[in-house]
Amino acid sequence: MFTKSLVLILILASIGSASATVIYKWVDKDGVTHYSQQVPENTSTDKIYSEDIEQQPIGFTAPKARPAAPEPSKEEKNAARIKEHNKEQAADICENAQHNLKVLTTHSRFRSKDETTGEVVAMKEEDRQAKIKVQEERIKLFCKK
C-alpha cells in the first residue's frame, strides 16, 4: 500500500514538472528582447519557466474618454480679443492689475468714499479678498501669454 502511494505521488509530481515549459529570453545587439522555447546560439539567456509567468486577463482595455476642453468663459474671450486687437491696452491692464494686487496684499486697511452717501468708510476684509481675487484673475487673463 505504501509503495502504491509513493508511486502515485511521484507520478503526480512529475506531471507538474513535465507540464512546465522552459522559455528562453535574451536581448539582441539592437536592444530587441526575444523569447523562444529553443536555446539561441552564441548568446546568454535567462530561463523563464511557464508556471512562474502570471497570466493576464484576456481581452482588451476599452479606451478612456478624454474630457472635452472647457469652453472659454466670456471674460477669457474678451481678454483674448483685447490681446489680439490692442496689445498696448492688454499690457496696461496687466500692469494695472499687478500694481493693484501688490497694494491689496501689502496693506490691510483701506478707506474709500461711499458712492451713495459720500462718507469715508473702511473696506471690509471680505471686500479686500474679493478684490484680490479679481486682480489675480485679470493677471491670469492679461499677463500670461
Side-chain angles (χ1 to χ4, degrees):
M1 179 73 179
F2 176 72
T3 55
K4 288 182 181 180
S5 299
L6 184 61
V7 170
L8 182 62
I9 291 172
L10 289 175
I11 291 172
L12 291 175
S14 66
I15 291 173
S17 63
S19 66
T21 305
V22 177
I23 300 171
Y24 299 95
K25 173 184 172 186
W26 72 96
V27 180
D28 67 9
K29 63 181 178 181
D30 297 325
V32 178
T33 303
H34 298 274
Y35 297 91
S36 176
Q37 291 180 342
Q38 298 167 352
V39 181
E41 296 178 10
N42 303 327
T43 59
S44 62
T45 61
D46 294 330
K47 283 186 180 180
I48 303 171
Y49 295 96
S50 62
E51 62 189 16
D52 295 337
I53 298 172
E54 189 174 317
Q55 293 186 0
Q56 299 296 320
I58 297 173
F60 70 95
T61 304
K64 295 179 182 175
R66 293 183 186 170
E71 183 70 27
S73 67
K74 181 179 175 184
E75 291 82 13
E76 290 172 329
K77 288 179 183 177
N78 287 338
R81 188 174 37 82
I82 289 171
K83 281 196 225 177
E84 183 180 323
H85 294 299
N86 194 346
K87 293 182 185 210
E88 194 174 297
Q89 181 184 5
D92 288 343
I93 292 171
C94 172
E95 186 178 321
N96 187 359
Q98 288 174 333
H99 173 74
N100 289 343
L101 181 63
K102 185 176 181 182
V103 170
L104 286 166
T105 55
T106 56
H107 303 293
S108 59
R109 295 183 183 180
F110 292 97
R111 295 181 183 262
S112 62
K113 197 179 245 187
D114 189 341
E115 295 174 2
T116 57
T117 63
E119 295 180 17
V120 175
V121 292
M123 181 186 289
K124 296 178 185 173
E125 181 62 22
E126 296 85 23
D127 295 337
R128 186 176 81 88
Q129 292 298 325
K131 289 187 179 201
I132 287 173
K133 292 223 184 290
V134 167
Q135 297 309 318
E136 288 172 342
E137 183 66 25
R138 290 178 74 199
I139 288 170
K140 181 179 143 194
L141 292 173
F142 290 99
C143 298
K144 309 291 185 212
K145 298 192 183 213

